[in-house]
Structure formats: structure tokens, C-alpha cells
Amino acid sequence: MDFNFTEEQGMVRDGLSRLVREQYGFEERRKAIASSEGWRPEIWAQLAELGILGMPFSEADGGFGGGAVDAMVIMEEFGKGLVVEPFLPTVVCAGGFLKHGGTAAQKEEHIGAIVSGGAVFAFAYAEPKGRYDYADLETTAKKDGSGYVLNGHKAVVIGAPWASHLVVTARTGGERRDRSGVSVFVLAKDTPGVTTRDYVTVDGRRASEVYFENVAVGAEALIGAEGEGLALIELVTDEAIAALCAEACGAMKVAHAMTVEYSRQRKQFGVPIGSFQVLQHRMVDMYTAYEQAVSLTYLATLRLGSDERTRKLAVSAAKVGVGQSARLIGQEAVQIHGGNGVTDEYAIGHYFKRLTIFDSEFGNVDHHLKRHVALS
Amino acid sequence: MNLEFTPEEQAFREEVRAFIAENYPKHLADFGMREDMAREDFLAWHKVLGKKGWSVPAWPVEYGGTGWTPTQRYIWSEENARINAVMPLPFGVSMVGPVIYTFGSEEQKAKHLPGIRSGEVWWCQGYSEPGAGSDLASLKTTAVRDGDHYVINGQKTWTTLAQYADWGFFLCRTDPTAKQQEGISFILVDMKTPGVEVKPIKLLDGGYEVNETWLTDVRVPVENLVGQENKGWTYAKFLLAHERSGIAGVARSKRGIEKLREIATHETLDGQPLIKDFDFAKKVSQLEIDLAALEITELRTLAGEQAGKGPGPESSILKIKGTEIQQRLTELTLEAVGTYSAPYMGGVSNDNGSNEHPVGPDYAQHAAATYFNMRKTSIYGGSNEIQRNIITKMILGL
Ligand SMILES: Cc1cc2nc3c(=O)[nH]c(=O)nc-3n(C[C@H](O)[C@H](O)[C@H](O)COP(=O)(O)OP(=O)(O)OC[C@H]3O[C@@H](n4cnc5c(N)ncnc54)[C@H](O)[C@@H]3O)c2cc1C
Ligand SMILES: Cc1cc2nc3c(=O)[nH]c(=O)nc-3n(C[C@H](O)[C@H](O)[C@H](O)COP(=O)(O)OP(=O)(O)OC[C@H]3O[C@@H](n4cnc5c(N)ncnc54)[C@H](O)[C@@H]3O)c2cc1C
């Protein structure tokens, strides 16, 4: 057993931690998310320069040979600063599909561009009626000569307004919700027939509704085998969930620390509110919930390479446990901040918002409890 | 024991329902879904009720009240909540009004009560300060006597909807040497008086419903003092007892659960309506059970009142459970809309600048904003921790 980070991971963490501290202050973030772009390409360039965008790729693929633990370290730091830049969709999701399912040519074309910061990806998987089921697809990809024609509507595609490329799931065969017949495609966002409606999300990111209308792509757009994409999607989204959990842990850590600090400073009835035992015990429960969440995040991260069942059990456990902790910590943090907790001006509410939306990404608590039951 | 309403009460319900159906402003239907409310919208129903004589049902008849029993008032609020009506704001009707008719001068009654009844005059509550929240008695805003005026200086905060207010009732320190609770006065301030400045606070749902209120050398005639100087704390406490009536929000939550069920028939899981999913349905049922318990608890409190027992510390139970249920309801609604909880389409109150069609289904539009907004309910009106402290002392005797 070893819960220590390598020296390199320590260095990555320190570097990122500095970047977040120095350039991702609450006011700077606020300005960036209110700007017309909604993110900071210069931060993205710095992440590339620091090697962060290439960290989880093997050296053979042009990366720096890291893995899931590195992604965890990175995402946790991002969570602490509520970083909006699309590391998860680009590096973890698109990167994951390329790593596990991409052809040599696809890797060649895209991984280098991701590592250098040149390409930004969004992962279009959710649909208005799909509710966390990756196989419940109305989007279709019909075979047309050697290529495909895509039609459909993808919902709340995080990071799509910033993306140069999309990874899209679509049905190439079978019945709705069948396990077979699901395929994955990679294409440039400016492919004719792709349109988007862009908007802000409640937690300060950007997303789009993405529409595909007779979008013609070549055979080289298909990632993995036709109709057999679901297992690949499950693997990649499990990796994404582990990374998201790490992000939530970072956000929870800060939200908890802020609350403890606030309770020391804020005086009512002539004493710091932190001296009230009822609040003390609740901050202890928050802390306990945070530690449990960290443990489940480690478990999920370390089991990503295990057999499918073990992996899924661990990932679902994490999504459930972290989801519950995130809710508890977010709500309690706001409550203990009193009126200030519900204002836009105080940072705590923004942590609360991120921790709230976390639950709806890649399956909520109920969804993953069910998956856990089904596998047990 | 008997849970049924009497035939007279049933008849009263029919009468009320018919009146609402005929007179409630159509453009304010299902107010719960609206975020672009203007001052006129808040007041529209109030004005109709003012004409009918139903705007201040709980007041004594001599001041324009209806003489309804507590049960009739309960039926009244239930019928309004059934259609999610925009109710008269509490600041005039249930807060300052009762203080004025109980403790105010004849001039104050003549000047202020008609405007509150008719809905023409908008009031706001200036109690809290940046350093005085739960510990309200530590407030610092001062009112210094200068001839026939008070000169008020200080900063209030969280003043709900003060941006629309004509008048405010303020707690100010008139004797800085007295013990905390004893040097406070209850003063009415015309919000147009020079030196009153209202600055909006943005809440985390993106809306603007509270303000910082700055008072700089605000000169207020001494006639605006309610009751006696330095006795304001007594009136403030009297007012809080009134503030708590209707705080449980049972009828509104019932309507909310109906809505939630509706949403869950449109949302699908594995190709089935979400409401057919056992796990989800179970949570909705649990909420309904908690609400049923709360409803009967409230009715028991009401029956006690009808028998002449004033609302006591039991109202703290109503506040705690009522707000917990409201919060849980918005949480379940957020859960029900799933992926479409994420798009931001404007705050819950007053700031939706865009006319764009929402992303995703209509019912998802404000699910997240409402959830964020409703976190306030366990904080304001005496936080739920403070309510528990009240129960600890007043009921458990600890
Ligand atoms: C099955 C059993 C086996 C045991 N075996 C042994 C043994 O082998 N040897 C031995 O020496 N003792 C033993 N104990 C005793 C045990 O350590 C005590 O019961 C324990 O320390 C609690 O003390 P108490 O029962 O007097 O409860 P109290 O101390 O009176 O506490 C009562 C309640 O008040 C709470 N409370 C107390 N202080 C605070 C505070 N400051 N803040 C908040 N809450 C507080 C407690 O948490 C508890 O809920 C045993 C007890 C049990 C039940
Ligand atoms: C949306 C909104 C609208 C409002 N509208 C108005 C208005 O119109 N007019 C007005 O005057 N005020 C208004 N308020 C103010 C409201 O009454 C206060 O926010 C409330 O009293 C809490 O005070 P605080 O925010 O300063 O929190 P604090 O008092 O600082 O409390 C912070 C935390 O500490 C806890 N705490 C404090 N004391 C104790 C204790 N003794 N034991 C245990 N826990 C404790 C609290 O419960 C809370 O969780 C509004 C507030 C909000 C959020």
C-alpha cells in the first residue's frame, strides 16, 4: 500500500497550486467568466507550457507518461480554484477516447494538438431524453459510402463554445438503449451541418446545445469499432468521473476551510460563531465527509485499470459518496455563512454552485447507487 | 377529534375559490415560474383584495380585518397557494401594520394603515446590519434627537425589495448607554428622505431581491417614532411573532410537489417516466409524508390559537420543518431535471434581461436558480439554528 505521491506528482501539484493561487483569484475568475469568451486562453497556453495538458498521455503518444493519479492531482487543484478551462473534456475525455480507442493516425492527428494547447475538445454525449444512459441515443450516424452522416441534438455540452473539435456519440445500429450499435466519432466543430447554441452554466462555465444536421464525416472520424463504442464510452466516462470526483474534493476542501475560517472571524452575541458547539459538530461532519470523499476518489482512481466490474463498482461508489459529501458540504457551508453565503459576492456560494452541478454530470447519486446495486 | 372542515368552512372555501377564479390577475398565473416581476406585479392582487376588504384578513375588524377565524385564514392561504398566487408582501400586512395598530399613535394609524390595506404603499424592514444578524440586539444604527427630528446614521443590510419601497420600519439605537435591548427605538422612515440610499446585493441565483441600505444624516420627524422611545425591542419581538404566521408554507409546498410529479412524468429514465422509478418516487412520497406531518402540526397550532392560545415557540417547529421541506422540494426538482439543471437562464427575481427561448424544457429553466435561492429560507427570519435555540430554551427548558 502506498498513498504517497511521486516526486513528479508533487512538483505538478506545486506548480499548479501556484498558478491557481496567483492567477485564479476569485476576482480574476469572476472577470474571466463574465467576459465574452468566458475563459482564458492564456491560462490554457500556460497549462500546455507546464506540461499539464500532456500529463496523462504516454510518451509514445507524445505525452509525459502520467496516468490517472496525475489527472487526479491536476483536477483537485483545479477544483480548489474553480477553474473553468476545459481540461476534463479535452484531456480526460477526448484524450481518453484517443488513448484507448484511437488509431495511430487519429492519435497522430489529435494528441499532439491537445498537448500543445492547439486543439480544444468538447464531449457531446448527453441528450435531452437520455438521462445519464449513454446508450439512450436519438442521435444517429448512418453509413454513407465509406463515411457517415450524423443527425441529432446533444444537450449541455460543456466547453463546446471554446472547442475546436467534438467527440460525439451516435447510434449506428440496433434499437434505442441497446448495448450494441453505439459508436463514437471525432470531428472538427466547423464541419458543415454542425450548429451550436451557446450559453453560460449556473456554475460559471460555458456549454452548448449542439445540433447535427446531415453532417458528413469520413471513415477516419470513427473511434474504435463501429457499433461497439459503449464499452469504450464507459471506460472513458469512468475515468472522467474519477477526475471529476478529484475536482469536487478540491472544491470541498476549500469550501470547508473557508467555512471554518469564517466561523472564527464572524462574531455574533459577542463571540465567534465557531464557538457554538452545534456549528462545530457540523463542521466536523463536513470534514469527515470530505475525508471519506477523498478516500473514495483514491479508490476509484486506483481501480480504473482493474477489470470492468471492479472498476465500475469503485467508480460508482465514488460518484455516490462524493456526490453526497458535495451536497452536505455545499449546503452547510452556505448555512454557516448566513446571509453572506447566499450572495454572489462571497466566494462560498460559487463553490456551492459547482458542487451542486457536479451531481448531474455523468450520472447522479441515484444513478450510480443503482449501478452499484446492479453489479453487487 | 375530527379532521374534516365544517360545512360552513367548506362553503367558505367555495366562496373564496370562486372569488379567486374570477378576480386573480391572469397575467400573474403560476407566479412560482416567473422571474421578471415588477413592483406592479407584486401589488396587483393586493390591490384587488384591498377593494374587496380581504387584504389584511388577520387584522382586527376595526382596522379593516375580516373577522375570519384562524381556520378560515388558513383556508384562504391554501386557496391562494393552490394557484401559486402572488400574495401581499408581509412587510406591510403582517409586520408593520400590526405594530402600528397596536402601539402607534392615532395619527400614524390614520396615515399608514389605509395604504397598507389598499396595497398602494410598499414597506420594507430595516432590522439587520452587517454586524447584527442573528444577534439583532447588537445593532449600531443611531437615531439622535435634534429638536423635533431624529437624525439617523448607520447601515442596514438584507433589506428585501427596498428598491421598490415607499416606507421602511427601522430599528435604531436611541440610547447608546443603555443595555443592548433597552436603548432601541422603532422608527418609520420615508424612503425618499434625503440620505437614504439603497444599493442592490446580487444573490447567488443571479437575482436582486435584497439591498444594503445606507442612512446618512437622515432627518425624520419625531412623530415617526412608534410607541415609546427606547422600547423598540418590545415591538420588534411582537412583530416577529406575527412574521412567523404562515411561515410553514404548507399549501405552497403541496403545489410544488404536484409540479414535481408533473415534471417527473415528462422526464424519462430507461424509457419510462421518471415518476415510475421506485427510487425517485420514494423520495417524493417521503416528502409528502413529511409535509402531511407538518400540515397537521400547523393545524394543531391553529386549533390552539382558535382556542385562545397565542402562537408560542411551537412556531419554531413550523419554521424549521417548513423550510427544510421547501429546500428538499427544490433539491428534488433539480434532481428531476437532470442534465438541464446546468444552463443559466437568469435569476429567480427581477433580472432576466433576455427574451430568448430557454434551453431545455420550460420547467427546467429555473430549477437550479430556485434551489440556490431557497437556501435563504433556513437563514432569514431567525435562522434554523436560532429556532432550535428557542425550542431548547422555551420548550425543553435547557
Ligand atoms: C457497553 C459499555 C462498555 C463499557 N466498558 C467500559 C470499560 O470496560 N471500562 C471503563 O472504564 N468504562 C467502560 N465504559 C464506560 C464508557 O467509557 C462511558 O460510558 C463513556 O465514557 C461515556 O460516559 P457516560 O456513560 O458517563 O456518559 P456521559 O459522559 O454522562 O455522557 C452522556 C451524553 O452526553 C454527551 N456529552 C458528554 N460530554 C459532552 C461534551 N463535552 N460535549 C458534548 N456532548 C457531551 C455524551 O456524548 C453522551 O451522549 C463502557 C460503557 C459501555 C456502554
Ligand atoms: C434573502 C434574505 C432576505 C432578508 N430580508 C431581510 C429584511 O428584509 N430585513 C432585515 O432586517 N433582514 C433581512 N434578512 C436578514 C436575516 O434576518 C439575517 O440574514 C439572519 O438573521 C441571519 O443573520 P446573518 O446573515 O448575519 O448570519 P449570522 O448571524 O452571522 O449567522 C451565521 C451562522 O451562524 C449561526 N448562528 C448564529 N448565532 C448562533 C447561535 N447562537 N447558535 C447557533 N448558531 C448560530 C447562524 O444560524 C448561521 O448559520 C434577510 C436575509 C436574507 C438571506
Side-chain angles (χ1 to χ4, degrees):
Chain A
M1 221 174 310
D2 175 14
F3 289 114
N4 295 308
F5 295 108
T6 64
E7 205 175 306
E8 265 174 41
Q9 287 161 348
M11 276 161 55
V12 168
R13 159 170 280 173
D14 292 346
L16 256 191
S17 164
R18 196 169 332 109
L19 185 143
V20 169
R21 215 172 38 245
E22 288 170 5
Q23 299 185 48
Y24 234 98
F26 182 58
E27 287 310 319
E28 285 152 306
R29 174 184 185 270
R30 183 201 286 286
K31 235 183 268 156
I33 64 178
S35 70
S36 57
E37 289 115 300
W39 70 315
R40 285 179 285 171
E42 70 272 20
I43 295 273
W44 197 247
Q46 279 189 62
L47 293 175
E49 217 165 282
L50 283 170
I52 301 296
L53 302 181
M55 189 55 64
F57 296 104
S58 71
E59 281 162 18
D61 288 340
F64 301 101
V69 174
D70 301 82
M72 178 178 84
V73 168
I74 292 167
M75 287 294 285
E76 192 190 343
E77 294 306 314
F78 286 167
K80 290 180 187 169
L82 297 179
V83 169
V84 299
E85 277 67 23
F87 180 85
L88 187 94
T90 301
V91 178
V92 181
C93 295
F97 281 110
L98 293 163
K99 241 180 357 188
H100 299 300
T103 61
Q106 284 168 335
K107 290 182 185 177
E108 167 88 39
E109 183 182 350
H110 297 300
I111 292 183
I114 290 176
V115 174
S116 71
V120 173
F121 281 75
F123 177 31
Y125 67 97
E127 296 194 356
K129 290 272 166 210
R131 199 177 199 83
Y132 313 137
D133 180 353
Y134 309 120
D136 192 340
L137 294 172
E138 284 184 304
T139 300
T140 56
K142 281 222 171 68
K143 195 100 192 175
D144 181 36
S146 67
Y148 300 86
V149 176
L150 274 70
N151 278 288
H153 166 195
K154 293 290 180 178
V156 196
V157 183
I158 296 289
W162 308 319
S164 56
H165 291 75
L166 299 170
V167 171
V168 185
T169 63
R171 191 161 276 291
T172 43
E175 296 293 309
R176 193 158 169 189
R177 293 191 298 281
D178 277 356
R179 283 195 61 82
S180 64
V182 176
S183 301
V184 183
F185 299 88
V186 55
L187 63 154
K189 197 176 80 173
D190 60 9
T191 308
V194 178
T195 53
T196 64
R197 175 169 171 198
D198 302 346
Y199 49 85
V200 182
T201 63
V202 290
D203 53 352
R205 296 179 293 170
R206 296 287 161 105
S208 308
E209 298 300 287
V210 182
Y211 302 93
F212 299 89
E213 206 185 330
N214 298 322
V215 177
V217 294
E220 74 284 355
L222 179 72
I223 299 186
E226 184 187 295
E228 284 165 35
L230 195 58
L232 178 61
I233 294 169
E234 287 176 339
L235 172 62
V236 173
T237 52
D238 278 356
E239 291 178 348
I241 290 169
L244 257 183
C245 286
E247 183 192 354
C249 286
M252 283 189 272
K253 187 183 175 105
V254 173
H256 178 257
M258 276 179 162
T259 305
V260 171
E261 188 50 32
Y262 185 82
S263 80
R264 272 192 234 274
Q265 305 292 334
R266 173 72 176 167
K267 283 198 174 144
Q268 291 286 282
F269 304 99
V271 293
I273 57 171
S275 64
F276 300 128
Q277 195 176 53
V278 64
L279 300 191
Q280 288 171 351
H281 285 189
R282 279 164 42 195
M283 288 186 275
V284 171
D285 289 347
M286 290 162 75
Y287 179 68
T288 309
Y290 162 73
E291 288 294 339
Q292 294 281 85
V294 168
S295 298
L296 286 169
T297 301
Y298 284 6
L299 175 73
T301 305
L302 296 171
R303 291 275 187 262
L304 285 175
S306 306
D307 65 90
E308 187 183 323
R309 181 172 169 276
T310 308
R311 180 194 85 217
K312 284 182 173 175
L313 276 170
V315 167
S316 284
K319 194 66 170 51
V320 169
V322 178
Q324 289 165 340
S325 296
R327 177 173 298 173
L328 175 94
I329 290 174
Q331 292 178 350
E332 293 283 39
V334 166
Q335 181 70 19
I336 292 171
H337 274 77
N340 287 330
V342 295
T343 61
D344 183 66
E345 192 190 328
Y346 269 67
I348 194 68
H350 298 263
Y351 283 86
F352 171 54
K353 291 208 258 188
R354 180 72 196 101
L355 289 171
T356 300
I357 295 307
F358 163 80
D359 188 48
S360 70
E361 297 183 75
F362 300 105
N364 65 3
V365 167
D366 274 5
H367 174 85
H368 281 282
L369 256 180
K370 280 202 178 86
R371 191 170 86 155
H372 199 278
V373 169
L375 290 163
S376 301
Chain B
M1 280 207 245
N2 183 3
L3 265 183
E4 305 314 318
F5 291 101
T6 64
E8 293 76 33
E9 285 162 351
Q10 297 280 21
F12 176 74
R13 186 187 291 279
E14 293 308 319
E15 182 194 347
V16 158
R17 189 173 293 186
F19 177 75
I20 292 176
E22 239 168 79
N23 296 286
Y24 186 75
K26 301 279 175 290
H27 72 286
L28 294 173
D30 241 340
F31 142 84
M33 300 291 287
R34 302 282 304 274
E35 72 299 320
D36 52 350
M37 304 262 302
R39 180 186 151 108
E40 280 316 302
D41 297 328
F42 280 109
L43 294 178
W45 186 219
H46 190 156
K47 287 183 176 165
V48 176
L49 296 176
K51 292 210 180 83
K52 172 84 175 166
W54 284 5
S55 62
V56 290
W59 290 15
V61 177
E62 53 171 318
Y63 297 118
T66 53
W68 291 343
T69 63
T71 309
Q72 284 177 309
R73 295 199 315 254
Y74 181 80
I75 291 172
W76 166 245
S77 60
E78 215 181 21
E79 287 304 312
N80 276 282
R82 226 174 41 82
I83 62 150
N84 235 342
V86 189
M87 291 311 280
L89 289 166
F91 305 109
V93 173
S94 16
M95 297 183 178
V96 77
V99 170
I100 291 176
Y101 66 64
T102 311
F103 304 104
S105 64
E106 290 310 316
E107 292 74 36
Q108 284 167 347
K109 292 181 198 173
K111 180 168 180 183
H112 294 299
L113 298 183
I116 296 176
R117 274 196 308 266
S118 67
E120 311 271 309
V121 180
W122 186 300
W123 285 82
C124 66
Q125 177 187 30
Y127 275 24
S128 305
E129 297 181 6
S134 297
D135 183 15
L136 185 56
S138 68
L139 62 92
K140 290 202 165 60
T141 295
T142 56
V144 177
R145 187 73 186 257
D146 177 24
D148 50 7
H149 281 80
Y150 286 108
V151 181
I152 304 180
N153 277 288
Q155 186 198 348
K156 295 289 176 180
T157 190
W158 310 121
T159 341
T160 296
L161 296 173
Q163 66 264 45
Y164 300 132
D166 306 297
W167 280 82
F169 50 100
F170 287 79
L171 289 182
C172 306
R173 197 162 288 289
T174 33
D175 182 358
T177 61
K179 275 211 315 200
Q180 266 201 350
Q181 273 91 340
E182 284 165 16
I184 294 172
S185 295
F186 192 104
I187 300 177
L188 311 179
V189 178
D190 182 338
M191 294 297 280
K192 284 183 285 297
T193 317
V196 179
E197 195 192 347
V198 170
K199 278 195 347 207
I201 300 174
K202 189 176 184 183
L203 292 187
L204 60 83
D205 64 41
Y208 292 95
E209 62 183 62
V210 292
N211 301 273
E212 289 179 334
T213 305
W214 299 80
L215 302 139
T216 315
D217 293 329
V218 177
R219 293 182 70 82
V220 175
V222 285
E223 300 93 84
N224 289 10
L225 171 76
V226 174
Q228 292 173 21
E229 197 177 76
N230 296 333
K231 291 280 174 255
W233 190 251
T234 315
Y235 318 138
K237 275 199 309 196
F238 168 89
L239 177 150
L240 288 177
H242 278 262
E243 183 180 354
R244 283 193 202 119
S245 64
I247 209 155
V250 169
R252 210 166 273 280
S253 290
K254 269 193 194 167
R255 175 80 189 108
I257 291 181
E258 258 174 46
K259 274 240 166 78
L260 173 60
R261 285 192 181 280
E262 223 173 280
I263 292 173
T265 56
H266 294 298
E267 289 289 317
T268 54
L269 191 155
D270 294 335
Q272 292 285 320
L274 176 62
I275 197 65
K276 298 259 186 254
D277 175 63
F278 181 75
D279 294 316
F280 190 82
K282 192 169 94 173
K283 287 192 274 193
V284 181
S285 281
Q286 181 66 60
L287 195 63
E288 244 161 9
I289 292 164
D290 293 345
L291 186 59
L294 179 66
E295 180 173 21
I296 303 300
T297 306
E298 185 175 24
L299 289 171
R300 284 168 58 208
T301 316
L302 265 178
E305 250 180 85
Q306 204 140 317
K309 268 180 43 188
E314 299 81 15
S315 62
S316 292
I317 299 180
L318 303 181
K319 159 91 198 311
I320 294 170
K321 290 314 291 183
T323 54
E324 283 177 359
I325 288 170
Q326 288 158 31
Q327 291 181 340
R328 186 84 185 106
L329 176 62
T330 59
E331 191 173 323
L332 274 183
T333 306
L334 183 77
E335 226 175 288
V337 303
T339 309
Y340 277 117
S341 56
Y344 176 68
M345 295 289 139
V348 177
S349 52
N350 315 322
D351 81 328
N352 191 1
S354 101
N355 296 318
E356 263 190 293
H357 189 74
V359 163
D362 283 352
Y363 55 71
Q365 224 196 125
H366 289 303
T370 305
Y371 169 73
F372 297 141
N373 185 274
M374 289 304 279
R375 302 314 301 175
K376 71 188 177 190
T377 62
S378 51
I379 295 168
Y380 68 18
S383 74
N384 284 12
E385 287 76 19
I386 296 298
Q387 303 300 330
R388 287 185 168 91
N389 288 348
I390 291 172
I391 297 177
T392 306
K393 285 203 194 77
M394 313 278 283
I395 300 183
L396 307 184
L398 293 169

